[in-house]
Amino acid sequence: MADQQQSDTAPSWWSRPAVPAAAAGAEPGPEAEPGAGSDPAAAPVPHASVPGPRYDPWGERPLQVADQGKAPGGRGIRLRHAVALSLGTALLAGGIGGWLGVLAERQSSTRLELPQAAVESKGRAPESVAGIAATALPGVVTLHVRGSGGSGTGTGFVLDEQGHILTNNHVVSDAKDITVTFSTGESVTAELVGRDGGYDLAVVKVEGVRGLQPLSLGNSENVKVGDPVVAIGAPFDLSNTVTAGIISATGRPITAGGDKGDGSDISYVDALQTDAPINPGNSGGPLLDAKARVIGINSAIRGADAGGDGDERAKQSGSIGLGFAIPVNQGKRVAEELIRTGHATHPVIGVTLDMEYTGDGARVATKGEGGKPAVTADGPGARAGIQGGDVITKVDGVRVHGGDELVIKIRAHRPGDPLTLTVLRDGRERTLELVLGSANGS
């Protein structure tokens, strides 16, 4: 009876759930039938306040905790939505940021300005190279010449408002058609007025050109070694080319030409030497002083010997800093004569020189051409007392080393100019006074 009372008074939360007899392995008896002698107080009463399964420590395994009241898989779906939303937001933010960056870069690029000098006056000091070029360029022309031997390019400059232009003889010596192009680009046809091979000078003329700007002529007697100079020309047909340098020597005796073989085309020049770069095509162009005045006419360059085996030698065609210009004093006189008469006169001493003489000085021949006397009767040399076989060693106190140099020194003067010659005869030096005669040139 005590056991029964204890069992009857046990709290309901301690009761185990009813276990069917079949699950316990017992056969159903008469007591299992409802109402068959059962005691309602002793029947197990389920806990009505706790729905669903309850924890059974005696079960095969503990019960898993479930998320009550939510559909299966709901949390995973929410997680995927959150991740997708985050990625979309990140992509959108990145795109917006990139677009803003590009826009900022473009805006910053348009505002980028590097330091630069302000626009200044284009005027230059008259004595500067740029100032000299600005003054002289309107009076410098490029000559395009076509002849039987082909075509070529040279340079010239305007002498007067009548259209006379001075250039080199070797530029136009074989010309059939001459075209003159000014610095403005205007081109007109020119006609040959006169030329002289001995001085390598020629004059051409243009017609119907307005606004000609003649260049001012300087005085080559005022030129000193070291003076700055500017050369203008069309080297290799590059018109209006300006170069600068200095006078590197004066009174430099040079000869040029001689292609005909008879000596008729040899020019003798007591030249101004310059290191201002001049090249083929500069021929006939002006050599200017610091006041933009013409002091020389560019005529020749010295080429570098390339060397080689035997007698094979080659000449460099470009400038090596040895250019030669005809002094303007000589050019002025010859140009005036060419304009007046179409020919130039040459000063002479009336003697025939022995050009085969290899000693120092210029030796007077003992016989002239065709058996004639080497000293022209009643000529300047005869009147001064020169005899065949004399060796002329100085002209006005300046030594000469050969026949070419004597010709050059004489042609640097005008007909009628007085000269003092130093002559070596029979081992003794004599001083002779001579007045130059005149002969027509080519």
Side-chain angles (χ1 to χ4, degrees), residues 385 390 393 421-426 428-432:
D390 286 352
T393 58
L421 302 180
T422 301
V423 175
L424 183 63
R425 182 188 303 164
D426 298 329
R428 295 178 58 188
E429 284 191 343
R430 303 170 184 267
T431 301
L432 305 178

Side-chain angles (χ1 to χ4, degrees), residues 287-347:
L287 188 67
L288 305 159
D289 65 10
K291 295 183 179 180
R293 300 175 301 193
V294 180
I295 57 172
I297 301 95
N298 299 317
S299 180
I301 61 173
R302 175 66 184 269
D305 295 334
D309 297 332
D311 295 332
E312 295 181 3
R313 303 177 71 84
K315 294 291 185 179
Q316 178 177 323
S317 61
S319 172
I320 60 171
L322 288 174
F324 303 97
I326 301 167
V328 71
N329 289 14
Q330 182 174 313
K332 176 179 180 294
R333 178 183 71 82
V334 173
E336 290 170 346
E337 292 185 348
L338 292 175
I339 292 172
R340 285 197 305 264
T341 67
H343 300 280
T345 59
H346 295 173

Side-chain angles (χ1 to χ4, degrees), residues 141-195:
V141 302
T142 300
L143 286 81
H144 293 95
V145 179
R146 186 171 60 85
S148 58
S151 59
T153 303
T155 307
F157 59 92
V158 179
L159 291 172
D160 55 32
E161 294 181 354
Q162 286 71 47
H164 293 105
I165 294 171
L166 184 62
T167 187
N168 281 145
N169 172 68
H170 72 262
V171 172
V172 298
S173 60
D174 191 37
K176 291 185 177 180
D177 296 310
I178 304 172
T179 301
V180 171
T181 303
F182 292 86
S183 61
T184 59
E186 180 183 5
S187 294
V188 296
T189 300
E191 297 293 333
L192 180 64
V193 174
R195 63 187 185 86

Side-chain angles (χ1 to χ4, degrees), residues 12-68:
S12 62
W13 56 267
W14 177 251
S15 62
R16 295 180 63 191
V19 178
E27 294 292 334
E31 67 273 15
E33 295 180 4
S38 60
D39 188 355
V45 180
H47 199 287
S49 62
V50 181
R54 300 197 47 201
Y55 181 73
D56 183 8
W58 292 274
E60 294 182 1
R61 64 173 63 91
L63 196 66
Q64 298 292 320
V65 176
D67 188 3
Q68 300 293 331

Side-chain angles (χ1 to χ4, degrees), residues 104-113:
E105 181 180 359
R106 289 179 179 176
Q107 291 177 346
S108 62
S109 298
T110 58
R111 294 195 303 270
L112 177 63
E113 290 188 9

